[in-house]
Amino acid sequence: MVSPVYLRIVEDIKKKINSAELKPGDTVPSEKALCDEYGASRMTVRKGLAVLANEGYIYSIPGKGNFVRKPELNKYTIYYDEKNNSINSVDQTKLLEVNIIMPDEKLASDLQITKNKNVIMIRRLFYTDGAPVAYDVKYLLYQKGMPIVEKEIEHATFPEMLSKKVPLFALKKELVIYSAVPGDDIKRYLNIYDGLALLVVEQKLYNTENKPMGLGITYYRGDYIKLQGISE
Amino acid sequence: MVSPVYLRIVEDIKKKINSAELKPGDTVPSEKALCDEYGASRMTVRKGLAVLANEGYIYSIPGKGNFVRKPELNKYTIYYDEKNNSINSVDQTKLLEVNIIMPDEKLASDLQITKNKNVIMIRRLFYTDGAPVAYDVKYLLYQKGMPIVEKEIEHATFPEMLSKKVPLFALKKELVIYSAVPGDDIKRYLNIYDGLALLVVEQKLYNTENKPMGLGITYYRGDYIKLQGISE
DNA sequence: TAGTGGTCTAGACCACCGT
DNA sequence: CGGTGGTCTAGACCACTAC
């Protein structure tokens, strides 16, 4: 068997879609027709169609047929790790502060808690080649038995900080990316004397019930970081 | 039949993974064992496992078994459309220039062409509520028969500009996101008088052979745009 | 050799859609 | 009603892994 029948079906239909022989909205030949065309059983044909559906090429409407999907022109995948990006990576971390605080209005609202709940605040500086490149603040819901071990915190990424408490599979995450002009404190931390801009990345972690578990904000020197996204 | 057997298998195993009863690297019960447990045929069990594999929960090694995958902690999905973002959206577009140019060194290298090839340059301004919010430049490989119709170009997103030439399914795309301080020309275009930072998004489009088809750079006022990414 | 997953068949019954 | 996709079965043969 050179390549499985179902993969040949996949490749053939992909080719037809990529060459515009099949256009978005068109119906793919029916399962019966494909069975005849390839001399295959229906389960084999359906396996091929399932692959195409998973990769976003087609969708099916029961009772009607399989149809070519409109491509997701706006969808990108981005791999973000606060200490690594496409042009540089952090090689040193300095823990500025670990503290338990009471949240202010905005933080309480971001974390969906009341203002009398305890929050762990972690402030760090990231360095590359000895120079400070990012200022990082994390806020984590304080939970009994939460290990606040400085050694563990200093070098951890945000999801890792929760790994003792939550199975990482159960984490939902959200990024918000924007640019800003640094305030005086951040200018001092990052040795910025001129008009350098910041790239700011906010990270929010949620548990499976969509309850916020933590908020992280990382302020990068604009000349340090580029984020990269790719389609597919 | 309340819910299909294969989905019950999926849900049960997901629960075990999310509750850490099954940890990354653990083996999922063998297909035979699941057949017995659910009184189902092997194809049904395999369908359930296929769903879990597609969603990134498990992977399989032929001859050995199915295993729980380490979650992709750094992966986010971002929907980027140069005219829409999570806090605002463009409601007006002004075409500044459409021209055919010869690329300079850097552009020729970005587009992987020689400097004597023609390139279409499109410059636009984006407005929200009457105020300019972004300056946008696109470079497209010039190809014979390429329709340069101003009406089509003025309001199109980048992938749409190529839709006459390339089936959109065949497009690969890449984003690069960074912050910058505006130069004088961009300050003028965007009515920036103070120290406002820019968020810059570069978009590259490739055909299926990974040949660059175009480069787009959009300079957003930092107070205008936030990009948002989500896990899953 | 026994156990695992990968591919495949030739049927079946069901729900849904359109005529 | 006939055609479509959705679910499911009870087998089969294969390649790979581990002992």
Side-chain angles (χ1 to χ4, degrees), chain A residues 203-215:
Chain A
Q203 234 177 332
K204 252 193 205 178
L205 305 181
Y206 299 85
N207 68 9
T208 34
E209 286 87 40
N210 281 318
K211 190 177 169 314
M213 304 295 291
L215 168 68

Side-chain angles (χ1 to χ4, degrees), chain A residues 9 40 48 54 70 75 88 104 117 130 141 168 173-174 187 193-194 218 223:
Chain A
I9 299 177
N54 272 315
K70 273 205 300 290
K75 190 177 180 181
N88 230 320
D104 61 16
K117 285 278 195 306
L141 289 202
L168 291 177
K173 297 160 284 151
E174 194 185 299
K187 275 190 166 178
Y193 298 106
D194 49 8
T218 310
D223 53 1

